[in-house]
Amino acid sequence: MALPMSLLLVLVVVSCGLSGALGCVLPQNHILLSRDNLVLLRQVRIISTLSCPKDTKDFRLPRAMVKGSQVQEAQAILVLHGMLQHISDLLLTEHASAAWNTTLLNQLRMGLYQQLEDLERCLVRGMGEEGTALPSQEPTLAVRRYFQSISLYLKERQYSDCAWEVVRVEIMKCFSSIITLQGRLSNMDRDLQTP
């Protein structure tokens, strides 16, 4: 079985190591794309979460890696890429297409695709730099476990409308955290450029 391109890219980056400063500044529209994606997620709502009282679930978004100083720049880019990739993977399923408005879903997918392209350029640039230490894999493993729990939840609930509504709300929480992480990266980049 072939590994997905994004997984191969992350493995190569981690094995090569990343320095504290990747020398990659994300485009200014990167945060705007996340905000646009958040708006699109609000629009794809199909039912109210109030009509699904038995379907509530706390997926335990690993917020510490996004908000605290726990994650360094190299890890932050890997975490950001991982979160966006997992969201994209969820939204590319036939079950998502069946549950949500296809036009809005395609717009959301395109925004995610652009963000992933931007991050992959940063990761590829980081591969060419000398790394002093390998970034910890703990944050990316936490992200993977988090999204595995979401996928399992959808499967257990047989991809019902209520399950997708719970997941939609959870993905909105993810995008709020992604915007926070993007802001941290933007601040790190500004700090590195300031003499």
Side-chain angles (χ1 to χ4, degrees):
M1 180 174 91
L3 291 174
M5 177 61 176
S6 60
L7 179 58
L8 287 172
L9 185 60
V10 170
L11 290 173
V12 169
V13 169
V14 170
S15 65
C16 291
L18 294 168
S19 64
L22 293 175
C24 181
V25 178
L26 292 173
Q28 290 179 340
N29 71 337
H30 210 267
I31 293 175
L32 293 176
L33 280 170
S34 288
R35 290 186 178 140
D36 290 346
N37 287 339
L38 199 52
V39 169
L40 287 168
L41 277 166
R42 285 187 186 108
Q43 293 174 353
V44 298
R45 178 180 171 183
I46 49 175
I47 58 175
S48 169
T49 52
L50 297 175
S51 61
C52 304
K54 295 179 182 176
D55 289 277
T56 60
K57 171 88 173 164
D58 180 9
F59 294 101
R60 297 195 172 127
L61 176 67
R63 292 186 192 274
M65 74 178 84
V66 179
K67 292 188 176 178
S69 59
Q70 175 183 350
V71 179
Q72 300 303 314
E73 182 184 19
Q75 291 172 328
I77 289 177
L78 287 171
V79 166
L80 184 56
H81 183 275
M83 290 178 81
L84 291 170
Q85 184 63 59
H86 286 294
I87 292 170
S88 179
D89 292 346
L90 273 174
L91 300 182
L92 284 171
T93 65
E94 63 187 60
H95 299 292
S97 296
W100 291 339
N101 176 301
T102 308
T103 303
L104 295 174
L105 188 58
N106 285 337
Q107 289 175 13
L108 184 57
R109 290 170 176 161
M110 290 304 297
L112 285 165
Y113 176 79
Q114 181 60 55
Q115 289 181 294
L116 287 166
E117 287 284 307
D118 294 341
L119 286 168
E120 286 171 9
R121 278 192 290 275
C122 282
L123 292 172
V124 168
R125 272 192 212 157
M127 287 189 311
E129 298 182 9
E130 293 293 322
T132 56
L134 292 176
S136 168
Q137 292 184 7
E138 186 177 323
T140 54
L141 290 174
V143 168
R144 187 176 59 183
R145 278 188 238 113
Y146 168 71
F147 280 98
Q148 283 173 341
S149 72
I150 291 174
S151 295
L152 181 61
Y153 170 80
L154 282 167
K155 186 176 181 179
E156 288 172 348
R157 300 281 193 218
Q158 299 176 344
Y159 304 96
S160 69
D161 287 347
C162 280
W164 275 109
E165 178 58 20
V166 169
V167 168
R168 182 192 68 83
V169 170
E170 191 66 23
I171 293 173
M172 288 176 62
K173 291 177 191 174
C174 283
F175 270 108
S176 294
S177 294
I178 286 169
I179 291 168
T180 299
L181 185 55
Q182 289 168 325
R184 275 194 59 220
L185 284 170
S186 180
N187 289 339
M188 286 178 188
D189 289 336
R190 258 192 305 263
D191 292 346
L192 290 172
Q193 293 174 356
T194 305

